[in-house]
Amino acid sequence: RRIAARAAARRMAWLLGERPGGKVGFTVRGERQAGRGTVVEVVTTGVLLQRLHRDQELTGVDVVVLDECHERHLDADTAAAFLLDVRAALRPDLRLIAASATTDAEGWARLLGDGESGERGTDGGEGARDGGGGPEGPAPVVSAPGVSHPVEVVWAPPERPVRPPHGMRVDPALLAHVAAVVRRALREREGDVLCFLPGVGEIARVAGKLGGLAEAEVLQVHGRAPAAVQEAVLAGADGGRRRVVLATSVAESSLTVPGVRIVVDCGLAREPRMDHARGLSALTTVRASRAAARQRAGRAGREAPGVVYRCWPEAEDARLPRFPSPEIAGADLTAFALQTACWGDPDASGLALLDPPPAGAMTAARETLTAIGAVDAAGRATERGTRMARLGLHPRLARALIDGAMEVGARRAAEVVALLSEEPPREYGDDLAAAWRTARHGGDPYAARWRQEARRLEQALTGRG
């Protein structure tokens, strides 16, 4: 989401002949480019939630656009519910737009209309828009068709059955097949290739199988990729070799990669699920939804007619889920429960949500929050819980940071928690102390992100952030 926020701000600023930080700015965790003259600010949902807790009236904000609302991330659903609450109680003038190319427009129209309004984006989608003040009945659905070129569908399933995904595991035979389809696409079609894979590990393995590719440059796009690589991909080719861009779902709807005429879709995605052994959310590999497949295919038709190679049988397509599973239905809800407790609605019963949180998951979350002192017996946020919510961490890690700082100091505690909040690369090994020493002295992209996050946590802990 940070990549998408930066890219959207850069694009809008470029259209105005400016750089980000002028009329168009952005804020992501650990970085802000915005000033007094900024009238459009692109933020991640995490940043928006933090602002709502600090200033429920969103002073100075006239319109909030919830883009890519079809993705159904828990933070986005929570932010939408809080915004509807704000509009109903404090800001009847606040306008809300939910935008997407493939969303459940009717569901969002009911949510934003009755609780009070959404919109489909420039890919030819639709959504619902609130006219301000909370209309009775569904919000209006506004269609904003953009330039969309035809995309041919080529079904390219593996010759032999592959094992279904399990946890984070993806059958190596499928990855070998995806690499073969990329090579086939380069032979059969013109233009750059955008290949969708579920995660960083799969991207690295397919990149390895494409090693020695003479006719194209292989690039990797994901949340951990260096900023220079991300910017190079988004800038487009310089007129030389063709490009093969291996990407996670970050390129599904949030980014436009110039030059792409071919999409290769492996048909898999990663979604968060509760890991009961660790007491935290963990990603698991699932079949991508039909909505996601449409979004991915559309990347090939952004600039000219294109083609999508789908690495599954056509007969299986109708059995895919229509939309992605809402994160609220299966993820760990501890952080969500702390957010709602701080908002003043511990069981979330008064919030306008497309899908209610499962009762069992909320009970488990409440038990965890009570055990770590974040809420009292009635479910209300304690002073410690409010402080934990402001740190932008899972409540368990926030408690570790606060308590650890008293034992080893703010800096050391921030460094350890930053290491726990994003899993280090495999080459760092399994020894936490050794990984910490490697990160402190490392010059790789992970070490740079780790140092930035450790500084942020230390500043948030000491009140200097």
Side-chain angles (χ1 to χ4, degrees), residues 54 455-465:
R54 290 197 307 267
R455 282 194 298 270
R456 184 191 75 82
L457 293 176
E458 183 186 3
Q459 292 170 354
L461 197 59
T462 57
R464 293 187 284 113

Side-chain angles (χ1 to χ4, degrees), residues 54 92 122 167 250 271 273 323 329 331 437:
R54 290 197 307 267
T122 55
V250 68
E271 293 182 358
R273 294 287 188 274
F323 294 107
R437 288 190 291 270

